[in-house]
Amino acid sequence: MTKIFITRDIPDAGLKMLKKHKSIKLSIYQKDKKIPRKELLTHVKGVDIILSILTDKIDAQVMDAAGPQLKMIANYAVGFNNIDIEAAKKRGIIVTNAPGPEITESVAEHAVAFIFGLAHRILETDKFNRAGKYTGWGPKLLLGTDVTGKTLGIIGTGNIGNALARRLHDGFDIKILYNDIKRSPNLEKKYGAKFRTKDQLLKESDFVSLHVPLLPGTVHLIGARELKMMKKTAFLINTSRGPVVDEAALTKALTNGEIAGAGLDVYENEPKINKTLLKLQNTILTPHTASATVETRQAMSRTAATNILAFLSNKQIPNKI
Ligand code: GLV
Ligand code: GLV
């Protein structure tokens, strides 16, 4: 019997796959909220596999609370900064994440939505209307900016960064600049993307979109210094992880007009959001919902289950970290 503990009820596609196996015993934390730490430490006791979500901190303490039979942690997310990978390695525990074509497109779409939403001032103008301020068409009323032909700087060109480049290059003649730890011949050949140092990319881009994982080296990748390098007319998009951006510095830059606006899906101290940031008009702030589509959340459920079933049948595990 393989005992799997799922830390929160997830969409059912993957659960159905797991339930087909008589040798698997599933238990799911039933309350629709983040499992409190204490309960997590109790619930994992004696399980073979933990299916975790991105808000669960799965560290050495959790692994040891589970016990030496714990063999796998299947994360229901692309990012896996919530898991202590070193501690897992030391204990011979396999860790998997849940990438796939659906989440790639879903997050890229969300970045696209931010770009257009900010450029065309969709939220601001909607609020303007609802506040009863629309008294007549005006040639200079609430002017935004075009997206077509502008320059997009992508920092981090994994699957999501690539998808964003493809959509905007093919659809809107966007010029693509990119920065990553390695060059991407595919991006250069297909979308005419040009490699830039981070600083140079920041100076040249009209939109800067972040698609890096959260690692010690990417904490505050964008801080006061970087924001100063950006054009006053530029927008920053973050759908990666909150700590990649110094939120206090960003709030200051937005308040002082150092950059034009920001689209953020993630925050430095989630679920807390800087109070001043919440008041600014030139921002679109979504609650870590870039992957929150029915299709994607079901696909992630299938991916997590596929990883688990591959492990249990000694097959190659598709998304082993
Ligand atoms: C979402 O943030 C994910 O990493 O899947
Ligand atoms: C705007 O509504 C236009 O017709 O130019």
Side-chain angles (χ1 to χ4, degrees):
M1 188 60 77
T2 300
K3 287 186 190 166
I4 303 179
F5 177 60
I6 304 179
T7 63
R8 184 143 174 193
D9 195 18
I10 58 172
D12 63 357
L15 303 182
K16 282 186 187 151
M17 289 164 64
L18 296 172
K19 281 177 186 161
K20 278 195 195 135
H21 295 262
K22 295 222 158 44
S23 59
I24 291 177
K25 185 170 175 284
L26 284 187
S27 62
I28 304 172
Y29 184 68
Q30 285 301 344
K31 295 180 197 151
D32 191 21
K33 62 170 195 173
K34 176 184 164 172
I35 186 168
R37 179 79 180 174
K38 239 172 114 184
E39 289 192 58
L40 176 64
L41 292 170
T42 321
H43 276 84
V44 295
K45 214 159 271 170
V47 307
D48 303 291
I49 296 174
I50 300 171
L51 197 163
S52 52
I53 61 168
L54 62 90
T55 48
D56 302 323
K57 189 170 187 253
I58 308 291
D59 54 12
Q61 192 190 15
V62 174
M63 296 172 201
D64 292 340
Q69 79 298 328
L70 180 67
K71 288 289 174 311
M72 181 180 199
I73 298 159
N75 210 34
Y76 181 74
V78 173
F80 47 85
N81 53 286
N82 58 308
I83 299 171
D84 186 337
I85 301 293
E86 279 310 306
K89 239 185 224 156
K90 253 190 230 157
R91 290 162 179 76
I93 299 167
I94 288 165
V95 178
T96 56
N97 68 341
E102 294 85 357
I103 189 165
T104 295
E105 295 302 342
S106 180
V107 177
E109 281 184 14
H110 205 81
V112 169
F114 277 147
I115 289 171
F116 283 91
L118 289 163
H120 286 260
R121 302 176 68 174
I122 299 296
L123 289 195
E124 279 178 86
T125 50
D126 176 272
K127 278 192 199 124
F128 176 87
N129 257 348
R130 290 173 200 269
K133 291 183 184 166
Y134 185 40
T135 55
W137 187 88
K140 295 185 183 174
L141 179 66
L142 292 164
L143 302 188
T145 177
D146 285 329
V147 174
T148 301
K150 292 279 163 60
T151 298
L152 168 69
I154 301 176
I155 302 186
T157 46
N159 291 331
I160 298 170
N162 260 273
L164 182 64
R166 180 170 73 248
R167 298 296 173 234
L168 290 175
H169 174 268
D170 291 355
F172 293 90
D173 301 324
I174 285 272
K175 295 182 199 77
I176 309 285
L177 306 178
Y178 78 99
N179 177 261
D180 203 326
I181 45 177
K182 56 179 192 292
R183 299 284 285 258
S184 171
N186 178 56
L187 213 58
E188 296 184 16
K189 215 166 74 207
K190 275 196 172 147
Y191 314 120
K194 299 212 163 52
F195 182 86
R196 292 284 189 272
T197 62
K198 181 178 82 173
D199 291 1
Q200 202 56 40
L201 176 147
L202 292 169
K203 284 179 194 161
E204 291 179 42
S205 300
D206 300 302
F207 300 91
V208 174
S209 196
L210 307 174
H211 301 283
V212 294
L214 177 60
L215 301 165
T218 60
V219 172
H220 287 191
L221 189 72
I222 303 295
R225 176 187 159 275
E226 287 75 18
L227 290 159
K228 282 202 171 65
M229 287 183 183
M230 289 175 66
K231 297 181 187 177
K232 279 196 165 46
T233 50
F235 298 92
L236 179 71
I237 312 295
N238 189 12
T239 54
S240 65
R241 283 292 181 267
V244 171
V245 176
D246 180 342
E247 197 169 299
L250 173 63
T251 304
K252 222 167 164 187
L254 287 165
T255 307
N256 298 340
E258 285 171 37
I259 66 170
L264 306 175
D265 187 48
V266 287
Y267 307 90
E268 203 166 346
N269 300 300
E270 253 168 75
K272 286 203 188 90
I273 303 176
N274 184 300
K275 287 213 170 65
T276 308
L277 193 54
L278 285 169
K279 293 197 186 110
L280 296 177
Q281 291 295 309
N282 52 347
T283 55
I284 302 179
L285 307 172
T286 53
H288 206 147
T289 46
S291 74
T293 66
V294 172
E295 299 91 332
T296 291
R297 292 287 168 87
Q298 285 288 21
M300 290 165 68
S301 180
R302 283 195 299 274
T303 304
T306 301
N307 286 326
I308 290 172
L309 294 174
F311 167 68
L312 292 178
S313 55
N314 287 318
K315 293 207 182 96
Q316 192 173 346
I317 303 167
N319 308 114
K320 194 170 164 203
I321 303 301

